[in-house]
Amino acid sequence: MTALTDYVNFEKRGRIGMIVVDYPPVNALSHAVRLGIQKGIEAAAADDAVKAVVLLCKGRTFFAGADITEFGKPMKDPGLREVLETVEGSTKPVVAALHGTALGGGLETALACHYRVCNPTARVGLPEVKLGILPGAGGTQRLPRVVGVERALKMIVSGDPILAKDGLSDGLVDEVVEGDLTEGAIAFAEKIVDEGRPAVKISERDEKVAAARGKPEIFENFRKSIARKSRGFEAPENCIKTVEAAVNMPFAEGMAEERRLFEELYVGQQSAAQRYFFFAERQAAKIPDVPADTKRRPIASAGIIGAGTMGGGIAMNFANVGIPVTLVEATQEALDRGIAVIAKNYATSVSRGSIDQATMDKRMAQISGTTDYAVLADKDIVIEAVFEEMGLKKEIFGKLDKVCKKGAILASNTSTLDVDEIAASTSRPEDVIGLHFFSPANVMRLLEIVRGKKTAKDVIATSMDLAKAIRKVGVLVGVCDGFVGNRMLAARGREAEALVLEGAMPEDVDRVIFDFGFPMGPFAMADLAGLDVGWRIRQGKGMTSEVPDSLCELGRFGQKTGAGYYKYEGRNAVPDQVTRDIVLKASKNAGIERRSIDDQEILERCLFPMVNEGAKILEEGLAIRPSDIDVVWVYGYGWPVYRGGPMFWADSIGLDKVVERMRSFRDQFGDQWEPAPLLERLASEGKGFKDYKG
Ligand SMILES: NC(=O)c1ccc[n+]([C@@H]2O[C@H](COP(=O)([O-])OP(=O)(O)OC[C@H]3O[C@@H](n4cnc5c(N)ncnc54)[C@H](O)[C@@H]3O)[C@@H](O)[C@H]2O)c1
């Protein structure tokens, strides 16, 4: 055995040379690894006894991708492209042995080898698009030459991995090894040598790309098929162009085109935002005062109180990952209704083909229901999702305190109420926490985890882990009205309503917010959530808001009644004269002379208050870091990930410019525009939220 670099060895097994990489945890293609591969190929070339080479990785996976710690730094030679040229250029056949997840540069490396074997569970994919870039080491040129244009487009543009063995018929892999992968790969290499098979260069294969030549409709149809999902993103289009290049250009030119299109994305704002967000999401899992080794409480069973909109969705999350869950309702009727909704949701997934009937049956079997609180006695966690009324919640937590076993986590899905006050209705406030799911709770990825004053650290740690277990992204926040997400949403809502009174129509505001990249604007969102919710809250507090109040008085509660701010033709929102008349009247009643408001003002008026509120949230210690706020907004409200989140976005504009605009709005519209002290301070120091250290 010869050490080629710190992480790469060269071994010989008879006629077979083996390049063995061992760079835990995921064999990232760092400089030492790249150099090792190159040296390995050179070592094999120099040794006459070696007739073929096996490239394999130790540990849990083949190369899982680039080394993310090298991001943003100049690439140290040799770069991956150069190494892969050496690999493909080897006159001795190179066999890649795939296990785990061969992603990004990992798959590109495998494609530069002449043959590929895999174990049955190995997955391969090119996820670069998710970071706003594209595979830049030949992946876009080699993959279509192997799997064909349509399949390559799908893989490159979705970024989603596939099982390597599913590529057997295409030649993506040449053999699936059932037993020991290393032995299987060596046996395969021996066979190649025995049969005198050549070192097949994918770059020289043409038949699959030739099949798509002169058929631009393939690309046009594909563009159409992804248009809705990829709206606003730049990377998918560049990905498509690279595959077009693979079809229409010789390999070397296609490689140059790949490089050009890669560079274009790499230096752009979107990939900066998406790479930032990749780290932001991982960072959110770290809680400074909760050590990583905090002992977790086991969660093997769950109870949910309330089988309404939220309770049902929350229950599905547990059932989906095999945790048995019991719904507790006030009446049998409400329970039956709730469980029927869950069954209907699963049935829709079955009819769409996203799950099969057996999976649905398995999930439904995890869900039970009752009206008897006594069943909660042995549950590891109970999540309350009843009406948003403090009295009711306190009563329920009082009951839970009596019924639940010692050490059970008692959680509330409240979206606005004081978690400390709820906790105080029990004798064990340390076990109480807010778990704020977003609607639809079985779909939205965000889970705001609301830490009360007395919440125990192990309850926090367990909740963060639970989020991951049920495939959510947990963000720890503190107690305040609306927590992080809804508090910032309220700031946006306030300005959106003001804009409408001053001269914009709801559809103008919605268009600007939609074009910015949100799935919908504030008024379409209000129609979706139901205007009656806010109306009831205002009535309870003795408050009014003329436009939505008037809509509600007409029975226009939004989508569910067929009209709200908009009229609904099916799911299509159509601007409505009734709303316009109400708006004009409201302006008049408020003594406002309407003016024309441009799109830039609409955007700044809606989004700068969110940035300001975010700054206050940080100052008040209610979010750990600015990037956590960004995670809340991307996963909870559809902030376009290619703009990073509100705090990243503000940084990208420059906080000095944000503050300057806010001051001018303050002079025009009043003190609600006063910049938060933190925002002022960072701006005056020429800093951004990225520099904020808490
Ligand atoms: N709807 C949303 O978008 C949303 C989002 C996040 C959080 N929340 C919060 O989730 C909670 C539930 O909201 P929802 O929209 O699901 O309401 P919902 O009205 O759809 O459901 C509430 C359910 O609780 C049941 N219930 C009432 N009293 C009960 C009791 N004593 N015991 C057992 N069940 C009882 C009701 O029968 C009803 O089925 C609220 O606190 C709300 O603020 C809602």
Side-chain angles (χ1 to χ4, degrees):
M1 187 174 85
T2 320
L4 299 168
T5 67
D6 285 352
Y7 308 111
V8 186
N9 289 325
F10 189 75
E11 296 172 21
K12 271 202 318 193
R13 286 276 290 271
R15 302 178 292 173
I16 310 301
M18 297 204 300
I19 302 172
V20 182
V21 181
D22 188 7
Y23 180 46
V26 294
N27 293 308
L29 285 153
S30 66
H31 175 251
V33 172
R34 297 193 300 271
L35 186 64
I37 298 171
Q38 191 168 46
K39 285 187 170 180
I41 298 292
E42 285 161 8
D47 187 335
D48 285 344
V50 171
K51 303 295 177 207
V53 182
V54 169
L55 172 61
L56 64 90
C57 293
K58 295 220 158 165
R60 63 170 132 112
T61 182
F62 194 70
F63 311 110
D67 189 344
I68 49 179
T69 61
E70 289 182 3
F71 273 8
K73 298 177 193 158
M75 174 80 85
K76 247 168 81 185
D77 284 339
L80 188 59
R81 283 185 147 223
E82 195 185 327
V83 172
L84 298 190
E85 219 170 281
T86 308
V87 172
E88 197 180 49
S90 163
T91 51
K92 299 179 182 178
V94 183
V95 180
L98 310 179
H99 74 295
T101 45
L103 299 179
L107 176 55
E108 292 181 296
T109 302
L111 292 171
C113 295
H114 308 107
Y115 297 93
R116 287 150 297 281
V117 300
C118 69
N119 70 5
T121 56
R123 293 186 309 147
V124 297
L126 295 171
E128 284 81 354
V129 70
K130 294 183 178 173
L131 296 178
I133 50 177
L134 53 81
T140 66
Q141 302 307 296
R142 290 195 178 95
L143 188 64
R145 286 177 157 83
V146 181
V147 300
V149 166
E150 271 144 335
R151 196 141 186 231
L153 275 173
K154 208 162 148 209
M155 280 180 74
I156 296 169
V157 174
S158 75
D160 295 334
I162 62 164
L163 272 173
K165 66 175 182 183
D166 288 347
L168 186 60
S169 58
D170 283 328
L172 181 60
V173 292
D174 300 279
E175 193 171 286
V176 180
V177 176
E178 294 290 342
D180 183 274
L181 181 64
T182 306
E183 294 309 318
I186 292 170
F188 182 84
E190 291 278 7
K191 195 165 71 185
I192 285 180
V193 177
D194 286 343
E195 293 172 5
R197 283 162 73 179
V200 183
K201 292 184 185 177
I202 289 176
S203 63
E204 290 175 358
R205 285 178 58 177
D206 188 54
E207 71 284 3
K208 295 236 167 126
V209 282
R213 215 160 280 150
K215 293 185 186 157
E217 65 277 12
I218 294 178
F219 295 97
E220 284 326 306
N221 291 339
F222 185 78
R223 283 187 172 93
K224 275 189 210 132
S225 75
I226 61 153
R228 223 171 73 94
K229 236 178 134 188
S230 64
R231 179 177 66 94
F233 286 89
E234 288 163 2
E237 175 56 24
N238 277 24
C239 287
I240 296 171
K241 284 185 183 154
T242 57
V243 181
E244 281 180 314
V247 169
N248 298 320
M249 294 176 176
F251 183 77
E253 275 175 46
M255 287 294 280
E257 188 64 356
E258 178 191 86
R259 170 86 340 204
R260 189 183 71 75
L261 292 163
F262 173 89
E263 291 291 343
E264 201 174 278
L265 294 174
Y266 195 74
V267 299
Q269 265 293 324
Q270 291 204 348
S271 83
Q274 287 179 260
R275 280 178 280 145
Y276 156 84
F277 193 77
F278 176 87
F279 289 107
E281 186 180 335
R282 278 146 190 83
Q283 190 73 11
K286 298 186 185 119
I287 316 297
D289 71 329
V290 177
D293 61 357
T294 302
K295 197 162 178 289
R296 271 56 168 177
R297 301 187 187 185
I299 304 285
S301 62
I304 313 284
I305 307 180
T309 313
M310 296 306 288
I314 296 169
M316 290 171 79
N317 292 314
F318 284 92
N320 293 353
V321 298
I323 300 177
V325 57
T326 306
L327 285 154
V328 179
E329 254 293 350
T331 64
Q332 187 63 41
E333 196 196 339
L335 180 63
D336 293 344
R337 198 171 46 228
I339 293 188
V341 171
I342 295 176
K344 197 173 136 237
N345 285 339
Y346 279 135
T348 307
S349 301
V350 172
S351 68
R352 284 196 191 138
S354 51
I355 58 171
D356 59 17
Q357 186 63 43
T359 306
M360 165 169 171
D361 296 345
K362 210 166 96 195
R363 291 179 181 180
M364 283 305 291
Q366 299 284 358
I367 300 173
S368 56
T370 174
T371 54
D372 182 4
Y373 276 65
V375 298
L376 298 174
D378 64 349
K379 301 293 178 251
D380 295 326
I381 184 168
V382 177
I383 304 173
E384 165 279 313
V386 303
F387 307 130
E388 187 78 339
E389 290 166 26
M390 185 53 101
L392 179 61
K393 304 229 182 218
K394 279 179 159 175
E395 185 195 315
I396 287 176
F397 274 76
K399 262 195 216 172
L400 294 180
D401 193 19
K402 292 202 184 76
V403 171
C404 293
K405 69 180 179 188
K406 193 168 162 279
I409 293 180
L410 310 181
S412 173
N413 179 48
T414 179
S415 28
T416 51
L417 301 175
D418 183 341
V419 174
D420 290 320
E421 195 179 334
I422 296 173
S425 62
T426 72
S427 64
R428 35 175 142 169
E430 66 280 5
D431 293 340
V432 177
I433 194 160
L435 292 182
H436 184 208
F437 290 80
F438 285 69
S439 184
N442 55 318
V443 176
M444 297 300 287
R445 298 284 314 280
L446 178 65
L447 181 62
E448 266 186 340
I449 298 179
V450 189
R451 169 184 205 161
K453 280 197 188 72
K454 296 189 176 158
T455 307
K457 289 188 180 177
D458 63 344
V459 170
I460 295 172
T462 306
S463 300
M464 295 297 292
D465 275 14
L466 174 68
K468 215 186 264 170
I470 60 173
R471 305 192 192 120
K472 302 282 171 199
V473 178
V475 178
L476 190 68
V477 302
V479 175
C480 63
D481 190 4
F483 313 124
V484 169
N486 283 345
R487 178 170 159 180
M488 289 167 67
L489 182 70
R492 185 182 81 174
R494 184 198 70 210
E495 282 306 309
E497 289 193 15
L499 283 161
V500 163
L501 285 182
E502 288 168 35
M505 281 295 164
E507 59 269 25
D508 299 323
V509 177
D510 280 357
R511 175 180 42 78
V512 170
I513 297 300
F514 178 81
D515 288 348
F516 181 78
F518 277 96
M520 65 186 92
F523 296 104
M525 188 171 153
D527 271 359
L528 182 64
L531 302 185
D532 51 325
V533 183
W535 191 35
R536 293 228 171 80
I537 295 173
R538 282 194 298 281
Q539 284 174 333
K541 293 183 180 167
M543 289 162 65
T544 58
S545 180
E546 186 172 340
V547 174
D549 287 356
S550 304
L551 292 168
C552 286
E553 280 155 19
L554 294 174
R556 297 172 65 115
F557 293 165
Q559 273 198 27
K560 60 185 167 192
T561 58
Y565 283 99
Y566 297 91
K567 260 188 321 212
Y568 288 88
E569 291 167 1
R571 277 171 137 216
N572 255 356
V574 183
D576 192 0
Q577 194 55 42
V578 178
T579 307
R580 289 187 178 145
D581 291 342
I582 289 174
V583 164
L584 295 178
K585 190 161 156 239
S587 300
K588 204 161 157 209
N589 289 343
I592 295 170
E593 189 167 333
R594 293 176 66 82
R595 63 187 168 95
S596 115
I597 303 177
D598 66 29
D599 288 359
Q600 184 65 17
E601 178 177 341
I602 291 177
L603 190 72
E604 292 174 347
R605 293 267 307 271
C606 286
L607 302 190
F608 286 175
M610 293 176 53
V611 173
N612 204 40
E613 207 60 41
K616 290 182 191 164
I617 283 168
L618 287 169
E619 279 170 328
E620 292 166 30
L622 299 168
I624 296 170
R625 40 185 97 79
S627 59
D628 284 8
I629 297 178
D630 288 338
V631 174
V632 164
W633 269 83
V634 168
Y635 281 131
Y637 301 84
W639 180 287
V641 64
Y642 57 80
R643 296 191 201 271
M647 311 316 271
F648 179 89
W649 176 71
D651 274 3
S652 72
I653 295 171
L655 296 191
D656 51 342
K657 293 207 181 69
V658 174
V659 165
E660 194 188 306
R661 277 301 273 165
M662 286 188 63
R663 286 194 188 123
S664 99
F665 287 143
R666 177 192 59 199
D667 298 344
Q668 243 178 306
F669 305 114
D671 287 346
Q672 73 273 23
W673 279 99
E674 187 64 40
L678 172 65
L679 188 55
E680 291 257 18
R681 178 168 65 75
L682 290 172
S684 69
E685 291 170 357
K687 291 183 176 159
F689 286 112
K690 65 179 186 315
D691 305 304
Y692 175 78
K693 294 288 173 283

